[in-house]
Amino acid sequence: MSDEITVHPVAWPPAPIKTERLVLRESEARDRVALIDLAASPQVGTYAGGARPRDELERAMPEVPGQRFGFFVVELDGTTIGMITLDRRDPERKGHIRPEGGEPELGYMFLPQAWGCGYATEACGAALDWFADGHPGEPVVLSTQTANEASMRVAAKLGFTEVQRFEDYGSDQWLGVWSQGTPSG
């Protein structure tokens, strides 16, 4: 199965998606520093497998990172504050709503200075609405550590409902599903 979500083809990249406070758009070269900051942040890495070494990221990250279907940069007043992904969940990973796996999965990471302001809920809601327009009837999953209380709150605000708990990466994980028609933010 392709990593690209192709149930119903949609144009990529889409025109920038504007919310009340944010813009979701395709990544550009100017986003590289912020995306390195995101991946190197110990706070961000707490529930995402740990921070990656900055020097490793500097060498490995392309000049224009995230140039692929479903990768949105989140911008506030012209500054990159995070990213959202919509990818197919790897069938080899634990946690699925279909036996064959490969469900669309929402992922997000925001810089610590953007935490606690409702940006994740606002941006993810817009991404889910965009997805629903191009993929009618397709449910979306979200997985997070149960210890990540902030992410659990975002999932609840977006309308994800729990379908499974399991252990992975040495931690208790939560898997939720969002179905179209569920309020997304």
Side-chain angles (χ1 to χ4, degrees):
M1 177 177 292
S2 169
D3 286 339
E4 185 171 307
I5 298 171
T6 56
V7 175
H8 297 278
V10 293
W12 186 264
I17 300 167
K18 296 179 179 166
T19 69
E20 185 178 325
R21 303 177 291 173
L22 307 170
V23 176
L24 282 68
R25 59 173 175 75
E26 179 182 33
S27 66
E28 301 171 357
R30 66 185 170 113
D31 302 313
R32 187 173 187 270
V33 170
L35 294 175
I36 288 172
D37 289 346
L38 194 63
S41 168
Q43 296 97 330
V44 173
T46 299
Y47 301 109
R52 293 189 44 206
R54 182 172 288 282
D55 62 335
E56 175 187 306
L57 291 163
E58 290 282 355
R59 284 191 307 274
M61 192 170 289
E63 194 59 37
V64 181
Q67 289 286 287
R68 62 181 174 77
F69 183 91
F71 186 100
F72 292 97
V73 165
V74 181
E75 186 180 280
L76 171 69
D77 298 327
T79 300
T80 301
I81 61 167
M83 57 170 259
I84 294 175
T85 58
L86 280 160
D87 294 311
R88 291 282 178 189
R89 187 165 174 83
D90 186 340
E92 302 302 313
R93 288 184 63 198
K94 293 180 182 177
H96 294 283
I97 59 171
R98 316 191 269 241
E100 71 277 11
E103 305 90 345
E105 180 174 29
L106 177 70
Y108 53 91
M109 294 184 356
F110 285 80
L111 291 166
Q113 60 266 32
W115 293 359
C117 301
Y119 298 137
T121 302
E122 184 175 332
C124 289
L128 287 168
D129 290 344
W130 170 82
F131 180 82
D133 285 345
H135 301 87
E138 181 84 7
V140 178
V141 297
L142 180 150
S143 181
T144 189
Q145 288 185 22
T146 56
N148 188 344
E149 293 175 10
S151 190
M152 296 287 291
R153 283 191 302 274
V154 169
K157 288 178 187 174
L158 291 168
F160 281 84
T161 56
E162 181 176 334
V163 292
Q164 189 177 17
R165 289 192 185 209
F166 55 93
E167 186 167 322
D168 206 11
Y169 305 110
S171 300
D172 291 329
Q173 305 289 324
W174 180 91
L175 182 74
V177 65
W178 175 86
S179 298
Q180 294 176 35
T182 303
S184 55

